[in-house]
Every structure is written in structure tokens, then in C-alpha cells.
């Protein structure tokens, strides 16, 4: 396929991708930052720092190849159980990311949306999120969804509560109460670092999602690894329960 704006030959696998069968929504569990750092005798947070750079690269690449929704699991509700120092570091990375990247996202016509229980986050982070969403809301090339303080069960409980208040018990009514009802379900879910689990990510939305697990640690992930996952996806037959 031709990848707009990218140097020819830089990503050899790109030639093999069928542009007609691109996954429109890719979700990623960015795992392995800690192990990447440990292997290099660096503090764990260095892995998160490198992981953020990789995320930035993958966001841009996704928009360039025509992905329409990219969801990244940046902070889970379970992550509050980590040492305070690491939590503070992750919050600061997020602050820095939102301050610095909003302009780039806007320039790249990428809309940012946050999924998660934001009211439990520090007030200034909530404010940065609100501003970033507001400033990028016209982006039509791709929507980037950052899952922050996100838990799949908690999202389901929340939607169930709102649904019962309304009194209409259907899948459509339920969906309207997800964090981002307008976002179509992921076609492909990638998890790095060799773990083969869902870890409370997008439980409702991944009913028919293709799962791809790679041993590559997130800080080592690259455009070529991303293309590998897409090629693997394109080799699968999606039947959605039919024959
Ligand atoms: C999992 O690695 C990764 C996380 C818990 C955080 C993911 C966050 C980022 C990549 C960067 C933050 C994003 C933004 C938008 C600033 P791990 O620490 O569980 O690794 P391990 O399993 O090897 O210990």
C-alpha cells in the first residue's frame, strides 16, 4: 500500500498491507515498560518514559496509514496499587504529554478523547484533559482514545446503573452509557510483552475483537511491529459467530 507522507522503503511490510482491509479501530495494552527498564538496569520509570515516546510514534503512524480509532491503555484503575512514586511519575508524564502534544495532535488533525473515571484524577489533570479534548475536537483524520483511570468492569457497572435509571434494558441503551458511545468496537487488540490477558480492558467492546499478542516489550515496539500485527489480522477470517 502507499503510505501518504512516509518515506518509501522505510517500512517494508507496508507493501504487503491491504488498504481495503485495515482494522479501523486498534486498541493497545502497552505492557512491559518495567521489564524493559529492568533489563537495562534502569529505574522502572525510564521504561514509562520510553513507552511514551513509542506511543507518540505509533499515534502518528496510525493516522498516516488510515486507522480511524486508536485506543491506548495508559493507566488502569488497578495501577493505583503501585508505589506512590511510580504513580506520581505516571501522572507527571500524562501532564507533560497533554501540555506538549495537544498542539501536535491538532496539527495532525487527530481528535483526543479520554475514557475512564476522570473525576478521581487530580483536578489539574482533569483540566488539562478537558482543554486537550476541546482543542482537538475538530480532528477528523483519527480519534485517539487514552484510557486513563479506566477499568472495564467499572465502565460496565456505570453503564448498567445509568441504564436502569432510564429503564430501557437493551444493548443499544447500554451502549449509550459507555464512556465513548460513538466509538465503534475495536477490530484488533494488541498486547505487548508476552502476557496473554485482557486485564479489565474494554470488556464490553471486545466481544468480537481479534486478539494479537507479541513478546516484544512496549518500549521496543515499532511501526514494523505494528504492521506485523495488522498483517496477522488481515490473514484472519472474521465470522462474528456466523459460518
Ligand atoms: C505497563 O508496563 C504500562 C503501564 C502501566 C503504563 C503505560 C503508560 C505509558 C506507556 C505511558 C503513559 C502514557 C501517556 C499518554 C503519558 P508495566 O509497568 O506494567 O511493565 P512490567 O509489566 O514490565 O512491569
Amino acid at each position: 500500500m502507499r503510505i501518504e507522507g512516509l518515506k518509501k522503503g522505510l517500512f517494508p511490510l507496508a507493501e504487503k498491507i491491504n488498504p481495503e482491509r485495515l482494522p479501523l479501530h486498534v486498541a493497545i495494552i502497552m505492557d512491559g515498560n518495567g521489564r524493559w527498564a529492568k533489563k537495562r538496569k534502569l529505574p522502572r520509570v525510564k521504561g514509562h518514559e520510553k513507552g511514551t515516546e513509542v506511543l507518540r510514534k505509533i499515534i502518528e503512524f496510525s493516522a498516516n496509514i488510515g486507522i480511524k480509532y486508536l485506543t491506548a491503555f495508559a493507566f488502569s484503575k488497578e495501577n493505583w496499587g503501585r508505589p506512590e512514586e511510580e504513580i506520581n511519575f505516571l501522572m507527571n508524564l500524562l501532564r507533560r504529554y497533554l501540555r506538549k502534544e495537544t498542539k501536535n495532535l491538532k496539527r495532525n488533525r487527530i481528535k483526543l478523547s479520554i475514557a475512564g473515571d476522570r473525576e478521581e484524577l487530580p483536578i489539574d489533570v482533569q483540566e488539562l484533559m478537558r482543554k486537550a479534548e476541546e482543542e482537538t475536537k475538530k480532528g477528523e483524520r483519527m480519534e485517539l482514545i487514552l484510557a486513563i483511570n479506566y477499568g472495564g468492569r467499572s465502565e460496565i457497572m456505570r453503564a448498567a446503573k445509568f441504564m436502569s435509571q432510564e429503564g430501557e434494558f437493551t444493548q443499544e441503551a447500554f451502549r449509550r452509557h459507555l464512556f465513548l458511545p460513538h466509538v465503534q468496537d475495536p477490530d484488533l487488540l494488541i498486547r505487548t510483552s508476552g502476557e496473554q490477558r485482557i486485564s479489565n480492558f474494554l470488556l464490553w467492546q471486545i466481544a468480537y475483537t481479534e486478539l494479537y499478542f507479541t513478546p516484544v516489550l512496549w518500549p521496543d515496539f515499532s511501526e514494523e511491529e505494528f504492521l506485523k500485527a495488522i498483517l496477522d489480522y488481515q490473514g484472519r477470517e472474521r465470522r462474528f459467530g456466523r459460518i
Side-chain angles (χ1 to χ4, degrees):
M1 81 181 284
R2 285 236 323 279
I3 298 183
E4 236 181 284
L6 295 177
K7 274 189 216 132
K8 205 169 170 262
L10 205 53
F11 305 109
L13 280 181
E15 306 290 324
K16 299 196 176 153
I17 301 278
N18 174 0
E20 308 287 309
R21 288 203 54 219
L22 266 187
L24 291 182
H25 183 177
V26 179
I28 309 184
I29 302 179
M30 310 177 285
D31 198 7
N33 294 348
R35 276 163 285 168
W36 181 90
K38 195 170 170 204
K39 264 184 21 192
R40 286 164 179 75
K41 302 203 167 33
L42 294 168
R44 288 177 55 80
V45 295
K46 285 287 167 198
H48 297 316
E49 222 166 60
K50 180 73 176 22
T52 308
E53 277 171 40
V54 171
L55 176 61
R56 201 177 293 133
K57 199 167 69 174
I58 295 299
I59 292 168
E60 204 161 306
F61 187 69
S62 299
N64 284 341
I65 65 174
I67 304 286
K68 287 295 158 197
Y69 300 95
L70 180 74
T71 300
F73 205 177
F75 192 88
S76 75
K77 289 187 89 76
E78 289 73 29
N79 286 154
W80 294 111
R82 295 193 174 203
E84 197 181 331
E85 229 179 284
E86 184 170 341
I87 295 174
N88 289 340
F89 190 91
L90 283 168
M91 283 299 144
N92 282 335
L93 261 186
L94 181 60
R95 285 184 177 96
R96 215 187 313 156
Y97 180 84
L98 293 169
R99 282 200 198 102
K100 237 183 97 189
E101 288 302 311
T102 301
K103 272 198 296 297
N104 286 339
L105 292 174
K106 194 173 171 182
R107 202 183 47 235
N108 279 312
R109 309 200 316 275
I110 298 171
K111 170 179 168 165
L112 172 72
S113 298
I114 309 287
D117 289 314
R118 56 176 89 200
E119 55 290 343
E120 292 168 10
L121 294 167
I123 290 284
D124 69 302
V125 173
Q126 292 184 40
E127 183 53 18
L128 285 169
M129 287 173 170
R130 194 195 58 74
K131 272 196 197 145
E133 285 177 325
E134 175 62 30
E135 281 178 39
T136 60
K137 71 179 179 198
K138 295 210 178 100
E140 82 304 340
R141 273 176 80 226
M142 185 178 84
E143 181 162 348
L144 164 68
I145 297 122
L146 291 180
I148 294 167
N149 194 27
Y150 177 87
R153 286 185 175 174
S154 157
E155 182 181 32
I156 288 174
M157 290 300 292
R158 185 177 165 275
K161 195 174 96 194
F162 288 130
M163 182 176 69
S164 68
Q165 283 165 2
E166 276 184 356
E168 184 194 334
F169 296 94
T170 61
Q171 290 197 14
E172 291 70 34
F174 181 90
R175 186 179 282 278
R176 284 200 293 276
H177 298 297
L178 294 174
F179 284 117
L180 301 167
H182 66 282
V183 175
Q184 64 181 70
D185 291 343
D187 300 295
L188 170 65
L189 169 70
I190 300 173
R191 182 172 189 153
T192 57
S193 92
E195 308 292 344
Q196 305 197 359
R197 284 190 294 280
I198 299 302
S199 299
N200 203 14
F201 194 37
L202 304 176
L203 296 180
W204 172 270
Q205 296 88 336
I206 58 165
Y208 288 101
T209 299
E210 296 294 330
L211 308 179
Y212 178 85
F213 300 103
T214 168
V216 175
L217 303 175
W218 178 251
D220 289 327
F221 199 74
S222 62
E223 291 90 343
E224 277 292 280
E225 293 296 335
F226 192 59
L227 290 172
K228 250 192 232 171
I230 295 177
L231 267 180
D232 189 278
Y233 165 86
Q234 292 193 332
R236 300 185 194 186
E237 187 191 354
R238 299 186 79 193
R239 294 207 302 266
F240 300 94
R242 298 183 293 262
I243 54 168

